[in-house]
Amino acid sequence: MIIWLNGTFGAGKTTTAKELTALLPQSRLFDSEEVGYMLGHVLESVPVKNFQDWPPWRGLVVDTAARLLGYLGGALVVPQTVLSEQYWTEIRVGLENRGIPVRHFILHTDRDTLTERIRTDTKPESAGAERWRLDHLSAYQDALPWLRREGTAIDTTAITPAQAARQIVDSVGGVLTRA
């Protein structure tokens, strides 16, 4: 199974994913951004605004996830913002065509709360990301209608990442949880 955590940049996907993998047996975090970084040096002559714009990224995410699941079993938790419906459909259909069930969750909060979280994020991995995250809030808002059709929204305005992870576990089946 793939548990895909979507939402705007800075929504807490990676933090929630770490909480989630602690709750789900045989689950692993799969950071699909690493696929984009891997392609960067090869495709640097093909300019894009986002590595997701490279068609090989989308195909390799599907291929890599399928191979990892075939080797390891269990579930992969993927914390990755995808705001293009076309790209999401390519990934979802690619996984489903390989017989891999996909559960898609959107971590959502109101814009004011999200802006405050982005501005006060002091995690080392967030250094320099504030402007990027704030610049993509409108694109996220524009994508919300199709995101809500394609996934399950979890309102994180008043809950912690651990509580969001618990809601996801409850949604995918409590029998999968660790004691």
Side-chain angles (χ1 to χ4, degrees):
M1 170 188 290
I2 298 284
I3 300 171
W4 197 287
L5 303 183
N6 208 335
T8 192
F9 302 95
K13 296 177 301 296
T14 300
T15 304
T16 301
K18 289 174 183 174
E19 296 282 349
L20 188 56
T21 57
L23 295 172
L24 290 174
Q26 297 180 326
S27 68
R28 290 174 173 81
L29 182 66
F30 171 44
D31 186 350
S32 60
E33 283 191 14
E34 295 296 330
V35 175
Y37 301 145
M38 176 192 73
L39 289 172
H41 75 280
V42 177
L43 297 176
E44 65 187 351
S45 64
V46 182
V48 293
K49 290 183 179 182
N50 183 319
F51 59 72
Q52 293 181 14
D53 296 333
W54 288 320
W57 177 80
R58 301 184 299 276
L60 283 171
V61 166
V62 171
D63 292 344
T64 304
R67 286 186 178 269
L68 287 170
L69 286 172
Y71 181 68
L72 299 167
L76 291 180
V77 178
V78 185
Q80 179 69 60
T81 299
V82 178
L83 300 181
S84 165
E85 185 174 10
Q86 173 191 338
Y87 297 175
W88 170 249
T89 301
E90 283 181 48
I91 293 167
R92 179 183 49 77
V93 169
L95 292 165
E96 289 173 351
N97 284 344
R98 292 173 184 239
I100 301 169
V102 178
R103 295 296 308 269
H104 183 205
F105 295 90
I106 299 95
L107 301 185
H108 178 77
T109 189
D110 65 80
R111 191 175 184 127
D112 290 340
T113 301
L114 183 59
T115 300
E116 178 64 19
R117 288 179 185 171
I118 290 169
R119 289 202 166 123
T120 59
D121 187 352
T122 59
K123 292 187 299 291
E125 63 270 19
S126 300
E130 179 179 335
R131 183 75 276 157
W132 168 266
R133 291 172 174 178
L134 292 172
D135 287 348
H136 286 82
L137 291 180
S138 293
Y140 170 70
Q141 289 298 130
D142 293 344
L144 263 177
W146 76 260
L147 285 169
R148 289 180 188 273
R149 278 194 318 273
E150 285 283 321
T152 302
I154 296 178
D155 186 346
T156 64
T157 303
I159 64 173
T160 66
Q163 291 168 318
R166 175 53 60 191
Q167 284 186 28
I168 293 165
V169 167
D170 291 346
S171 178
V172 298
V175 296
L176 301 173
T177 59
R178 291 185 176 139

